[in-house]
Amino acid sequence: MAKGPTVYHVAERAGVSIATVSFTFRQPDKVKASTRELVLAAAEELGYVPSASARGLARGRTGALGLFAYDYLLDPADGIRGEGQDPLHPAEADLERRNEDLRLFPLYVDEVQRGVELECWRRGQALLVGGGNPENNEAVLSDIAGRVDGLAVFPRSVPSEALARIARRIPVVEVSENVHNRELDHVTVDNISGVRAITEHLISAHGLSDLMFLGGMPSSDNEERLEGFLGALQDAGLPTTREPKYPCGSEQSLTEVVSDICRQGSLPEAFVCATDQDALVVMDALAAVGVGIPKDVAVTGFDGIAAGRVIKPSLTTVRQPMEQMGRTMVELLLDRLDHPDKPPVARRLPVRVVLRESCGCQPG
Amino acid sequence: MAKGPTVYHVAERAGVSIATVSFTFRQPDKVKASTRELVLAAAEELGYVPSASARGLARGRTGALGLFAYDYLLDPADGIRGEGQDPLHPAEADLERRNEDLRLFPLYVDEVQRGVELECWRRGQALLVGGGNPENNEAVLSDIAGRVDGLAVFPRSVPSEALARIARRIPVVEVSENVHNRELDHVTVDNISGVRAITEHLISAHGLSDLMFLGGMPSSDNEERLEGFLGALQDAGLPTTREPKYPCGSEQSLTEVVSDICRQGSLPEAFVCATDQDALVVMDALAAVGVGIPKDVAVTGFDGIAAGRVIKPSLTTVRQPMEQMGRTMVELLLDRLDHPDKPPVARRLPVRVVLRESCGCQPG
DNA sequence: GCGATAAATCAAAGCGCTTAGATACTTTGC
DNA sequence: GCAAAGTATCTAAGCGCTTTGATTTATCGC
């Protein structure tokens, strides 16, 4: 564990200058084959491993990208936060729950992260994943920012001032919710036509006409989804008498909304939900009061998380190409490095309706 | 995107030396409060983000740990590799399958990785995750090694010479399979008592006496599991007449083994499988020939992957504390950095039997 | 108010690599 | 066989930070 060998050691051993050693690794064809072998052999014997810090410093580029996977488990917005957690291990209680509850794993973020990982590896980029306790997000973010050439972040994971500050230094790309910072590159999906398509399916394939849109929290994504919903109703000449419900924030209140509706006997023919998570909550609420899906009411989601495939009845939804979104983030980052002055890009990816049982379709 | 501000800029702006700027960030109490504010303000205005490369170079430590998550999707050993894949996008075909097939996500590695991530974040370490195409694993590994202070790896993800070379430079910890390199730190689980316990359960709770051990591939983990199995039989005074089957490598042959047994009519009362993946294959094979589980034969696994909870019948298994294993890897790495000369550590974590339907127990 | 001691700041020397530009060594053309 | 035109290699100047030891400034006891 003694301090490792450096270019100097290798150079000495091979009887060349340190420049030649460096060239051997970075621009092999600038070095005569015989010399190269010599250097390589010396390096091998010494167990030489180039220091990325030194290289990064010299080159002004680290060769790594960063992903800030904020600790979504703790995000109050998704309603799975537990109470009274050990502040030192904030994530553990949730993680355990997550391990026990298939619904929670893998989530949207996990699949996007997977895409980021794969694309980085494919392109020979190192990937730094950082997460944080909500308390010190900024410090962590800044630390990561100092280590990478570009940063991929999830929306609302970090105050936008902090993000703006980072963005002055390195490219930043945000996934979805392209509303917060129009100066950044964004990867989003076609929310509008996704929901429009699934709504049309409910109308034309299942002959439904009394539909209601339900969403857990306000966001630009959800607004677009609502827009798609309303568009489909209009196109079909249906009235938009039901006002869409956005119980802001917690599952609790979404559950309440649903049970209120049931109690009043004003059940629509279908609930079009803004996310799969919302849909799962709605399905639970319906099950709790004995309403049958899709017999009494159809339910659809948006995202395509794994849980939707397992649940009974399986969830009809709009699947986001999450892996592809992750890959695209990497692509935009690398692009931006080459063209710093290009205007901000917002890449919008297509989605796919996945018909399953909860809308009344047969599986398989 | 102009080259960002450095300590020099901040120092100039704040009217102090670069040393003071550095101290402000690294050892704030060495700096007078008023000066500190000055520096911080200047840094803020300039949008200063310290360069980790420079810090790493100066300190001789990067402050990051690495995880080499070899692309298990491509590991022929787990039998899910597709044929004729685009060499440029080696993982994509498999990833798509994985997305479609719940069995494959999240896997063992995913959960361990999650543990590594969480523990790194908790300890304020950056985490570099690297994966690789099977072709250039070594190059990738070496690149990662140059970027981190310590490396966590999965077994057989990389040639052991390469690993040994890295280990000369930085601490390396391997998860499970502590057979390849006894010089490295290891995190393993108590395979023996896990399988012993689950076997005892089959014997005493379900009154079974004709048990058979089945494993997809030879490994030190699996050998220990077999040992636990045999131990339980002996303790119960049962004969070990059935020879355990290790169809080396592919699911194909494990499937064949099972259908052969069925064809011969020599079905045991239970299959104790070396891994959940193996168990899933076995269950498929049994289903294919119309053998009922657990009615005609009980089946158990080992690992506790998510798929075992969803499958019908749900899989009785021995759950490894995967997250904890990941966390422990980080712990060992950091430990090793402080005590380079301590003899190699092999930390063995306890496992937990999870009774579900496939052994004949009722769920819930 | 003075020297002595502690606290705050600074100057400067690296850390290990990359890469211009300089230098040495080979080819090539005639 | 020699100048011209490559090739191969080297010298040396950073890259942006940390940190030791020196220097300056503030604090204290008497």
mmCIF file of all heavy atoms in Angstrom, chain B residues 286-308:
data_model
loop_
_atom_site.group_PDB
_atom_site.id
_atom_site.type_symbol
_atom_site.label_atom_id
_atom_site.label_comp_id
_atom_site.label_asym_id
_atom_site.label_seq_id
_atom_site.Cartn_x
_atom_site.Cartn_y
_atom_site.Cartn_z
ATOM 1 N N LEU B 286 -40.316 -27.745 -13.670
ATOM 2 C CA LEU B 286 -41.347 -28.576 -13.043
ATOM 3 C C LEU B 286 -42.719 -28.232 -13.613
ATOM 4 O O LEU B 286 -43.518 -29.125 -13.941
ATOM 5 C CB LEU B 286 -41.337 -28.369 -11.528
ATOM 6 C CG LEU B 286 -40.114 -28.948 -10.801
ATOM 7 C CD1 LEU B 286 -40.091 -28.506 -9.349
ATOM 8 C CD2 LEU B 286 -40.105 -30.473 -10.902
ATOM 9 N N ALA B 287 -42.970 -26.946 -13.739
ATOM 10 C CA ALA B 287 -44.254 -26.518 -14.280
ATOM 11 C C ALA B 287 -44.448 -27.086 -15.686
ATOM 12 O O ALA B 287 -45.545 -27.507 -16.060
ATOM 13 C CB ALA B 287 -44.329 -24.996 -14.298
ATOM 14 N N ALA B 288 -43.353 -27.112 -16.429
ATOM 15 C CA ALA B 288 -43.435 -27.574 -17.816
ATOM 16 C C ALA B 288 -43.885 -29.032 -17.918
ATOM 17 O O ALA B 288 -44.519 -29.431 -18.896
ATOM 18 C CB ALA B 288 -42.072 -27.401 -18.490
ATOM 19 N N VAL B 289 -43.560 -29.811 -16.916
ATOM 20 C CA VAL B 289 -43.978 -31.214 -16.986
ATOM 21 C C VAL B 289 -45.147 -31.491 -16.026
ATOM 22 O O VAL B 289 -45.462 -32.637 -15.731
ATOM 23 C CB VAL B 289 -42.808 -32.172 -16.666
ATOM 24 C CG1 VAL B 289 -41.758 -32.057 -17.755
ATOM 25 C CG2 VAL B 289 -42.199 -31.876 -15.312
ATOM 26 N N GLY B 290 -45.757 -30.420 -15.551
ATOM 27 C CA GLY B 290 -46.974 -30.582 -14.773
ATOM 28 C C GLY B 290 -46.797 -31.053 -13.342
ATOM 29 O O GLY B 290 -47.722 -31.588 -12.739
ATOM 30 N N VAL B 291 -45.638 -30.848 -12.802
ATOM 31 C CA VAL B 291 -45.436 -31.216 -11.400
ATOM 32 C C VAL B 291 -45.832 -30.032 -10.509
ATOM 33 O O VAL B 291 -45.421 -28.896 -10.764
ATOM 34 C CB VAL B 291 -43.953 -31.578 -11.136
ATOM 35 C CG1 VAL B 291 -43.714 -31.785 -9.648
ATOM 36 C CG2 VAL B 291 -43.580 -32.808 -11.927
ATOM 37 N N GLY B 292 -46.633 -30.290 -9.504
ATOM 38 C CA GLY B 292 -47.135 -29.205 -8.659
ATOM 39 C C GLY B 292 -46.199 -28.841 -7.527
ATOM 40 O O GLY B 292 -45.594 -29.705 -6.899
ATOM 41 N N ILE B 293 -46.098 -27.545 -7.275
ATOM 42 C CA ILE B 293 -45.274 -27.043 -6.177
ATOM 43 C C ILE B 293 -46.188 -26.289 -5.214
ATOM 44 O O ILE B 293 -46.943 -25.420 -5.661
ATOM 45 C CB ILE B 293 -44.208 -26.056 -6.679
ATOM 46 C CG1 ILE B 293 -43.421 -26.698 -7.818
ATOM 47 C CG2 ILE B 293 -43.286 -25.604 -5.556
ATOM 48 C CD1 ILE B 293 -42.543 -25.704 -8.563
ATOM 49 N N PRO B 294 -46.185 -26.567 -3.975
ATOM 50 C CA PRO B 294 -45.379 -27.558 -3.262
ATOM 51 C C PRO B 294 -46.075 -28.927 -3.133
ATOM 52 O O PRO B 294 -45.570 -29.792 -2.435
ATOM 53 C CB PRO B 294 -45.229 -26.925 -1.884
ATOM 54 C CG PRO B 294 -46.530 -26.197 -1.684
ATOM 55 C CD PRO B 294 -46.966 -25.737 -3.038
ATOM 56 N N LYS B 295 -47.209 -29.072 -3.808
ATOM 57 C CA LYS B 295 -47.985 -30.296 -3.674
ATOM 58 C C LYS B 295 -47.139 -31.556 -3.941
ATOM 59 O O LYS B 295 -47.047 -32.448 -3.071
ATOM 60 C CB LYS B 295 -49.164 -30.247 -4.662
ATOM 61 C CG LYS B 295 -50.152 -31.386 -4.530
ATOM 62 C CD LYS B 295 -51.414 -31.090 -5.350
ATOM 63 C CE LYS B 295 -51.142 -30.837 -6.836
ATOM 64 N NZ LYS B 295 -50.746 -32.032 -7.586
ATOM 65 N N ASP B 296 -46.518 -31.583 -5.098
ATOM 66 C CA ASP B 296 -45.751 -32.773 -5.455
ATOM 67 C C ASP B 296 -44.301 -32.702 -4.986
ATOM 68 O O ASP B 296 -43.678 -33.718 -4.684
ATOM 69 C CB ASP B 296 -45.765 -32.961 -6.975
ATOM 70 C CG ASP B 296 -47.192 -33.099 -7.492
ATOM 71 O OD1 ASP B 296 -48.010 -33.742 -6.800
ATOM 72 O OD2 ASP B 296 -47.490 -32.531 -8.558
ATOM 73 N N VAL B 297 -43.767 -31.502 -4.965
ATOM 74 C CA VAL B 297 -42.384 -31.339 -4.534
ATOM 75 C C VAL B 297 -42.183 -29.920 -4.010
ATOM 76 O O VAL B 297 -42.738 -28.967 -4.560
ATOM 77 C CB VAL B 297 -41.396 -31.635 -5.697
ATOM 78 C CG1 VAL B 297 -41.628 -30.674 -6.848
ATOM 79 C CG2 VAL B 297 -39.952 -31.548 -5.227
ATOM 80 N N ALA B 298 -41.446 -29.788 -2.940
ATOM 81 C CA ALA B 298 -41.128 -28.458 -2.413
ATOM 82 C C ALA B 298 -39.884 -27.928 -3.126
ATOM 83 O O ALA B 298 -39.062 -28.722 -3.600
ATOM 84 C CB ALA B 298 -40.889 -28.531 -0.912
ATOM 85 N N VAL B 299 -39.769 -26.628 -3.201
ATOM 86 C CA VAL B 299 -38.590 -26.014 -3.807
ATOM 87 C C VAL B 299 -38.150 -24.846 -2.925
ATOM 88 O O VAL B 299 -38.987 -24.076 -2.457
ATOM 89 C CB VAL B 299 -38.895 -25.487 -5.227
ATOM 90 C CG1 VAL B 299 -37.681 -24.746 -5.791
ATOM 91 C CG2 VAL B 299 -39.293 -26.615 -6.160
ATOM 92 N N THR B 300 -36.844 -24.738 -2.704
ATOM 93 C CA THR B 300 -36.340 -23.574 -1.974
ATOM 94 C C THR B 300 -35.168 -22.969 -2.725
ATOM 95 O O THR B 300 -34.505 -23.638 -3.521
ATOM 96 C CB THR B 300 -35.859 -23.944 -0.554
ATOM 97 O OG1 THR B 300 -34.689 -24.764 -0.651
ATOM 98 C CG2 THR B 300 -36.934 -24.689 0.222
ATOM 99 N N GLY B 301 -34.926 -21.710 -2.453
ATOM 100 C CA GLY B 301 -33.836 -21.008 -3.131
ATOM 101 C C GLY B 301 -32.839 -20.439 -2.136
ATOM 102 O O GLY B 301 -32.784 -20.849 -0.976
ATOM 103 N N PHE B 302 -32.049 -19.513 -2.631
ATOM 104 C CA PHE B 302 -31.086 -18.825 -1.770
ATOM 105 C C PHE B 302 -30.753 -17.491 -2.427
ATOM 106 O O PHE B 302 -30.344 -17.466 -3.590
ATOM 107 C CB PHE B 302 -29.812 -19.662 -1.628
ATOM 108 C CG PHE B 302 -28.929 -19.220 -0.480
ATOM 109 C CD1 PHE B 302 -28.784 -20.020 0.641
ATOM 110 C CD2 PHE B 302 -28.248 -18.005 -0.532
ATOM 111 C CE1 PHE B 302 -27.973 -19.625 1.703
ATOM 112 C CE2 PHE B 302 -27.441 -17.606 0.526
ATOM 113 C CZ PHE B 302 -27.296 -18.421 1.642
ATOM 114 N N ASP B 303 -30.965 -16.436 -1.716
ATOM 115 C CA ASP B 303 -30.618 -15.068 -2.137
ATOM 116 C C ASP B 303 -31.658 -14.078 -1.643
ATOM 117 O O ASP B 303 -31.327 -13.109 -0.989
ATOM 118 C CB ASP B 303 -30.502 -14.888 -3.657
ATOM 119 C CG ASP B 303 -29.114 -15.236 -4.158
ATOM 120 O OD1 ASP B 303 -28.224 -15.427 -3.317
ATOM 121 O OD2 ASP B 303 -28.931 -15.332 -5.385
ATOM 122 N N GLY B 304 -32.912 -14.364 -2.042
ATOM 123 C CA GLY B 304 -33.960 -13.432 -1.646
ATOM 124 C C GLY B 304 -34.157 -12.318 -2.644
ATOM 125 O O GLY B 304 -34.452 -11.187 -2.271
ATOM 126 N N ILE B 305 -33.993 -12.645 -3.922
ATOM 127 C CA ILE B 305 -34.231 -11.612 -4.930
ATOM 128 C C ILE B 305 -35.722 -11.329 -5.024
ATOM 129 O O ILE B 305 -36.567 -12.121 -4.604
ATOM 130 C CB ILE B 305 -33.693 -12.022 -6.319
ATOM 131 C CG1 ILE B 305 -34.412 -13.266 -6.848
ATOM 132 C CG2 ILE B 305 -32.203 -12.263 -6.238
ATOM 133 C CD1 ILE B 305 -33.954 -13.652 -8.243
ATOM 134 N N ALA B 306 -36.029 -10.186 -5.580
ATOM 135 C CA ALA B 306 -37.414 -9.717 -5.616
ATOM 136 C C ALA B 306 -38.331 -10.696 -6.331
ATOM 137 O O ALA B 306 -39.467 -10.922 -5.917
ATOM 138 C CB ALA B 306 -37.469 -8.354 -6.302
ATOM 139 N N ALA B 307 -37.827 -11.285 -7.385
ATOM 140 C CA ALA B 307 -38.662 -12.171 -8.192
ATOM 141 C C ALA B 307 -39.294 -13.283 -7.358
ATOM 142 O O ALA B 307 -40.426 -13.685 -7.606
ATOM 143 C CB ALA B 307 -37.835 -12.779 -9.316
ATOM 144 N N GLY B 308 -38.589 -13.733 -6.355
ATOM 145 C CA GLY B 308 -39.106 -14.805 -5.517
ATOM 146 C C GLY B 308 -40.364 -14.428 -4.752
ATOM 147 O O GLY B 308 -41.134 -15.285 -4.330
#
